[in-house]
Amino acid sequence: MTVLEIRNLSVFFSRYYNWFRKRTEACLNGLELSVGAGQLVAVIGSSGSGKSLLAHAVMGILPRNAGWSGQMLYKGELLTPQLQQRLRGRELALVPQSVSYLNPLMQVGKQVRMSGGGVRSRTELRSMFRRYGLESQVERMYPFQLSGGMMRRVLVSTATLGGAELIIADEPTSGLHAELAQETVMRFRELADEGSAVLLITHDLESVLPYADAIAVLYGGTSIEVAPAHYFSGDGTMLRHPYSRALWTALPRNEFTPPKGKPLVRPARSAAGCPYREYCESASEACRSGQIPVRRVNEGWVRCIDAT
Amino acid sequence: MIRSLLKFLLGKMLRLVVLLAAISILSFMMVKMAPIDPVQAYVGADLLKVSEAQREQIAAYWGLDQPPLAQFLTWGSAVLKGNLGTSMTFRQPVTDVIAERFLSSLALMVSAWALSGLIGFAAGAAAAMNRNTWVDRMIHWYCYTLAATPAFWLGLLLIMVFSVWLGWFPLGLGVPAGMAADQVTLGDRIYHMFLPALVLSVTGIATIALHTRQKLAEVLDSDYIIFARARGERGFGLFWRHGLRNIALPALTLQFASFSELFGGAVLAEQVFAYPGLGQATVQAGLRGDVPLLLGIVLFSTCFVFAGNMIADLLYTIIDPRIRSRDGGDPLEAG
């Protein structure tokens, strides 16, 4: 069952660049994505490419000067602000990336218990903490007293307490050493195996690959390819978009060649054409104009006219 | 917890003693250098009837013929015994004058202090929640105007408008003129205190409002507010748990640390409204060369301001978990 389906999502900011004229800047442009129950989909993109905005858009907690267009469906139902408000902290959970997402002046347990607009019981919290190997005294600690590993487990536990059906993890492995990163991703795999749909946003392809069902590659503010995780293997020929292949070959265990050109984090000024065309070896005139259509090829899809 | 608190208080007391000693020496030197003639101050208006020989006798009686250092030691040892001397203006022991005047000032200062805290905090919170709208701009404009307004000028303005033109409030004094002390009601006192308290509160409002606005704006932009919303918190509960609680402490601290401005403001406000408080006594002591009273007030106001700052420090130490644990106390025990 598809839990979340995102169609043609664009997120933009409007800011005044002088007293009178307002300019909107797109950060995400025509993004497509879907995740089903029991699935773990990793969203890969370079840092600053608006991945967090994707998470915030789904949760409905974008900043005030941001807007979005497109369609988001939760279990087939249009995700409106009202629905988002009703689901947040219950069926819809966000796992943030760092300690700064906890109120520094409030005990950790108190904050975790405050999910879904109500206060959860102590026993519920205690059993949840036990599941993640957190001792009961952690409840009464303040965020600054937690170690990196404890912090991560506390943040993951916030998602499980509400029994969320859709969990969005925003860079849960950033700044963690390999072992801890692996442990964290494993926890999300566990949650997916229990039936939740997990959207794991990260720039760390290597640590999510063994646990993800599918990988969505973000480039230039849009999703360029969604492929099953096992496509990222061998010399990467199963991948159909040149940028996805470049990402794969850039890993230390492969050729370790960095992708050509600088990472394009924002949509190009003109949204037309393929955002990767400047660096693509097989780019043709057709890549420069129009919207590149999404093509379904075997499993997953790709946004490239050369794909076969 | 108790032990670290005792350590804290002991350290503060030590600092207060050093501060008082330094202030005594400094103020004594300044009084000595000032063109004040203590004999003239003592004799008052009858100066013409006092001969040169009598003046010398008076000076010798008060020890004024001794070198400054000896004078300071005489005064200092008396102060250490709790004797601040006799006020020449009021013909009363200095401690009595300060106690009496401070009590009537206290009512004024406390109400002004509470008023500025509440108004400032509310205005700052309103500005932060309506950031970059006309509400925010209005409050900003209001704060800058208030901050740039001298208290005594505002006092004169209020007297002119509300006392002279409209006749709503008395022209000055702490109680109705010509009324016996036992007939004065609490209502009379509040009625007389209203305008001075308003003027005195004005100095504090701008600081606290701008500070609160800044802090709350930071909190509202913070990651933990985003995450709290993501967990489904919203509305007033969200604002109360993560907004107000996190900014109330710095605001309260700032408010306690503002005792010096409060005292300085009281001197001006009481003078303008002829309100019989400690501030007015300070001005009189200065103008009439009443050295014992002046020095007594200096020492007293030092303690007063020091107490405010200490309460501010103490609040942080007790309430903020981050500072609490740094001082060695274990927050697990406290929580």
Side-chain angles (χ1 to χ4, degrees):
Chain A
M1 182 187 63
T2 308
V3 175
L4 176 71
E5 189 170 355
I6 297 175
R7 291 180 191 154
N8 199 22
L9 174 73
S10 300
V11 174
F12 40 84
F13 281 88
S14 49
R15 43 173 72 99
Y16 289 91
Y17 69 101
N18 62 28
W19 279 72
F20 304 104
R21 265 176 292 181
K22 207 167 157 178
R23 188 158 67 185
T24 54
E25 271 175 45
C27 291
L28 290 177
N29 198 0
L31 188 135
E32 310 253 339
L33 197 68
S34 76
V35 54
Q39 258 194 327
L40 193 159
V41 174
V43 178
I44 304 282
S46 51
S47 297
S49 59
K51 294 179 309 231
S52 291
L53 286 179
L54 167 63
H56 291 181
V58 177
M59 298 295 298
I61 51 173
L62 285 169
R64 234 190 289 180
N65 60 336
W68 61 276
S69 65
Q71 270 189 331
M72 291 190 281
L73 300 173
Y74 177 77
K75 292 183 179 172
E77 203 180 335
L78 209 57
L79 204 50
T80 57
Q82 291 78 21
L83 185 60
Q84 283 169 327
Q85 173 69 60
R86 216 167 59 227
L87 298 176
R88 273 203 293 268
R90 292 188 174 90
E91 292 181 33
L92 210 58
L94 175 76
V95 178
Q97 53 178 314
S98 70
V99 66
S100 69
Y101 282 82
L102 287 177
N103 185 340
L105 297 182
M106 208 185 229
Q107 290 175 5
V108 168
K110 240 184 206 164
Q111 297 192 59
V112 175
R113 277 166 61 204
M114 237 170 320
S115 291
V119 178
R120 311 261 161 187
S121 76
R122 264 237 151 95
T123 39
E124 215 180 329
L125 176 74
R126 198 148 294 165
S127 71
M128 196 53 61
F129 268 22
R130 207 171 300 132
R131 169 178 172 173
Y132 288 110
L134 293 163
E135 286 172 46
S136 65
Q137 61 187 27
V138 175
E139 285 171 39
R140 287 187 292 153
M141 287 190 177
Y142 290 89
F144 74 98
Q145 296 174 302
L146 301 179
S147 71
M150 277 192 322
M151 187 70 230
R152 207 58 60 168
R153 281 177 278 166
V154 166
L155 290 177
V156 175
S157 76
T158 57
T160 43
L161 198 59
E165 299 192 35
L166 173 61
I167 297 167
I168 302 175
D170 185 10
E171 294 272 15
T173 60
S174 73
L176 298 187
H177 57 84
E179 202 179 314
L180 198 53
Q182 197 175 17
E183 183 202 309
T184 306
V185 179
M186 243 158 65
R187 302 215 178 270
F188 286 108
R189 180 70 252 174
E190 256 169 48
L191 291 172
D193 290 340
E194 286 163 23
S196 301
V198 180
L199 201 62
L200 203 156
I201 298 172
T202 180
H203 64 268
D204 183 4
L205 178 60
E206 189 141 33
S207 62
V208 295
L209 258 185
Y211 305 99
D213 295 301
I215 308 281
V217 180
L218 235 59
Y219 185 77
T222 190
S223 47
I224 52 160
E225 175 162 13
V226 174
H230 66 82
Y231 278 24
F232 287 85
S233 61
D235 50 7
T237 42
M238 273 191 283
L239 295 167
R240 295 139 306 185
H241 199 285
Y243 180 71
S244 315
R245 278 200 295 272
L247 263 188
W248 173 242
T249 51
L251 290 185
R253 60 172 150 155
N254 299 324
E255 293 168 29
F256 209 10
T257 46
K260 280 190 201 125
K262 55 176 187 202
L264 186 59
V265 292
R266 255 151 226 224
R269 187 133 303 165
S270 74
C274 176
Y276 194 60
R277 59 179 184 254
E278 301 296 333
Y279 312 111
C280 178
E281 281 158 13
S282 51
S284 64
E285 205 44 47
C287 298
R288 300 190 174 278
S289 56
Q291 174 106 25
I292 309 290
V294 165
R295 290 198 196 197
R296 307 206 164 265
V297 190
N298 304 325
E299 297 169 70
W301 55 261
V302 65
R303 210 191 283 270
C304 178
I305 50 175
D306 276 348
T308 48
Chain B
M1 187 73 199
I2 299 280
R3 256 187 75 194
S4 67
L5 191 69
L6 276 177
K7 219 167 105 188
F8 173 84
L9 286 177
L10 208 71
K12 284 285 176 194
M13 285 306 128
L14 206 69
R15 255 183 251 184
L16 179 61
V17 169
V18 174
L19 180 68
L20 281 176
I23 292 275
S24 312
I25 295 170
L26 211 67
S27 333
F28 194 87
M29 273 164 55
M30 280 165 73
V31 166
K32 271 284 138 199
M33 281 188 271
I36 289 177
D37 181 0
V39 177
Q40 187 173 348
Y42 173 69
V43 175
D46 300 332
L47 191 65
L48 289 176
K49 295 180 194 161
V50 181
S51 70
E52 197 61 30
Q54 281 171 308
R55 287 182 61 119
E56 268 165 31
Q57 267 183 331
I58 295 172
Y61 177 74
W62 289 113
L64 290 168
D65 50 353
Q66 313 240 333
L69 186 65
Q71 288 181 29
F72 176 72
L73 288 178
T74 313
W75 176 75
S77 58
V79 169
L80 282 181
K81 284 178 207 142
N83 177 14
L84 285 170
T86 307
S87 161
M88 301 178 198
T89 323
F90 295 92
R91 309 281 167 195
Q92 261 181 338
V94 167
T95 35
D96 291 359
V97 177
I98 291 180
E100 186 196 315
R101 287 307 186 105
F102 180 64
L103 274 184
S104 74
S105 271
L106 195 64
L108 183 69
M109 288 198 274
V110 164
S111 41
W113 185 79
L115 208 62
S116 71
L118 287 177
I119 296 177
F121 192 78
M129 282 190 285
N130 299 289
R131 240 176 314 162
N132 303 326
T133 64
W134 63 271
V135 178
D136 186 20
R137 262 179 293 238
M138 281 290 291
I139 290 174
H140 255 111
W141 175 84
Y142 182 72
C143 284
Y144 288 138
T145 312
L146 282 191
T149 309
F152 67 89
W153 180 80
L154 186 72
L156 291 175
L157 206 67
L158 290 186
I159 290 182
M160 238 162 75
V161 175
F162 290 103
S163 303
V164 179
W165 292 350
L166 297 172
W168 291 355
F169 288 99
L171 271 169
L173 302 179
V175 290
M179 194 184 269
D182 51 359
Q183 283 179 314
V184 177
T185 63
L186 185 67
D188 284 332
R189 290 184 188 278
I190 293 175
Y191 182 54
H192 278 78
M193 208 175 66
F194 189 85
L195 282 187
L198 196 68
V199 169
L200 189 51
S201 72
V202 156
T203 46
I205 289 179
T207 331
I208 206 89
L210 291 175
H211 176 268
T212 301
R213 181 201 176 271
Q214 184 61 26
K215 282 280 168 199
L216 187 57
E218 272 169 32
V219 169
L220 291 178
D221 278 340
S222 72
D223 288 340
Y224 59 85
I225 285 285
I226 292 182
F227 187 44
R229 284 177 61 208
R231 288 197 310 267
E233 291 187 47
R234 61 167 164 165
F236 186 74
L238 172 77
F239 176 65
W240 174 255
R241 278 188 294 272
H242 302 292
L244 273 186
R245 268 170 51 156
N246 288 24
I247 57 165
L249 178 63
L252 203 61
T253 311
L254 189 70
Q255 191 66 351
F256 272 108
S258 73
F259 273 21
S260 59
E261 281 104 37
L262 195 65
F263 194 85
V267 172
L268 294 173
E270 287 177 6
Q271 189 59 24
V272 170
F273 287 93
Y275 189 88
L278 197 57
Q280 203 204 20
T282 313
V283 176
Q284 283 179 2
L287 288 179
R288 300 201 187 160
D290 190 344
V291 178
L293 183 58
L294 201 56
L295 289 177
I297 291 176
V298 166
L299 291 184
F300 178 78
S301 61
T302 306
C303 294
F304 180 68
V305 172
F306 190 87
N309 289 342
M310 193 176 75
I311 293 172
D313 280 359
L314 201 61
L315 275 179
Y316 253 117
T317 319
I318 292 177
I319 298 176
D320 194 313
R322 288 167 295 189
I323 294 177
R324 195 164 62 205
S325 79
R326 202 189 304 150
D327 281 359
D330 187 354
L332 289 181
E333 285 169 15

